[in-house]
Structure formats: C-alpha cells, structure tokens
Amino acid sequence: SDLTNVTVLQQDATALQIAAASFDGAVCLTMLHHVPSPELQDKLLSEVARVLRPGGSFIGCDWLFRSRFDLTHLFDTKVPVNPEGFSERLRSAGFKDIHIDIRRHAFRFHARKVRAGDEAEPPGLPIQHAVRACLNTNLNSSCKAAADRTLLYP
C-alpha cells in the first residue's frame, strides 16, 4: 500500500492502550450492539471520549432491530442501543453537540468531545454537513478531510 501514515491496532475498545487526546476523530460503524452489555457500551463511549482531543468528532451508526434482522444475530452477541436514550449516554461519557438521526432500520449520530470551559451547546456547527456527507456516502473520499487522524473501530 502507498499509505505510510496509517497504523492499525486491534485492542479492547473498553480499555484502549492509547494516550489521552490522541485523535481528532473517531468512527463507530454498526458494532455497538456487539458489545455485550450497556455498561460496557458506556465504557467504550468513555474511552472514545478519552482518546479524542477536545472538540474532536465522534460519528457512527448502528442498527435498529426489527424481527427480520434479529435472525442474523441468532447465535451472536446482540445488545441493541436505544437511540432515544443515546444522547444522554454520550453526554455522560463527555460529549456535547449531540445529533442523532433515526431512520427506518438504523440510526446515526455525531457528537463532539467537550472542551475545557465549554458551557451551553451552540446550535448548528459547520461540521454537521461533513458528517452527513460521510454517513450518506458510506465514508468515501469526502470524509478524508474530516480529521487528520481517525480511530476506526471494527
């Protein structure tokens, strides 16, 4: 490969061996429901907040489970994330400017790590447009400008 600025790590996302404030952005795609409990999901969210720089973006999506999709997880870990309460879980982990978009089969989210001295959540940040483009295009080339270093969770 021609990429020389990429390092791939495989670690427990609830106990990352990465220095705090190491990344500008993190992406979490259709995997939260594979984390075996809501408590471990919350620990993962806190770890993402820890390794993000202040103001860093966290974007992702996960499935909304309906009876048809449930069969694909018959012998697999499946702890669905309720998008209705996900904002508060992200806030508790250290995020702000939280946006959740619930669709028919999935939900997507964007949040920013709290900066020191942050108070009220300002409305309408420009990064929302970049995040929508990323989520609508399956993270193609339009996302490459979103952050210099991005942490990807499988």
Side-chain angles (χ1 to χ4, degrees), residues 82-127:
N82 179 355
E84 301 294 334
F86 196 55
S87 289
E88 187 52 42
R89 293 173 71 187
L90 286 166
R91 196 175 297 21
S92 294
F95 292 97
K96 63 177 247 159
D97 302 327
I98 299 163
H99 302 277
I100 296 178
D101 182 21
I102 302 172
R103 300 290 177 104
R104 183 175 177 194
H105 297 290
F107 72 95
R108 57 190 182 178
F109 64 90
H110 170 248
R112 297 174 68 88
K113 180 179 177 177
V114 172
R115 296 176 195 254
D118 274 349
E119 293 179 17
E121 296 184 10
L125 297 173
I127 190 130

Side-chain angles (χ1 to χ4, degrees), residues 17-92:
Q17 301 299 306
I18 297 172
S22 293
F23 296 94
D24 296 314
V27 179
C28 180
L29 302 174
T30 64
M31 58 72 60
L32 280 173
H33 65 273
H34 289 289
V35 179
S37 72
E39 294 78 21
L40 287 174
Q41 291 171 352
D42 289 343
K43 194 170 180 186
L44 180 148
L45 298 176
S46 293
E47 276 294 280
V48 171
R50 184 184 69 77
V51 300
L52 281 176
R53 292 183 181 106
S57 290
F58 182 33
I59 64 173
C61 60
D62 210 348
W63 297 110
L64 296 175
F65 289 91
R66 309 281 196 261
S67 59
R68 181 176 61 92
F69 191 70
D70 286 347
L71 295 177
T72 63
H73 285 72
L74 188 59
F75 300 105
D76 193 5
T77 300
K78 184 188 79 176
V79 180
V81 176
N82 179 355
E84 301 294 334
F86 196 55
S87 289
E88 187 52 42
R89 293 173 71 187
L90 286 166
R91 196 175 297 21
S92 294

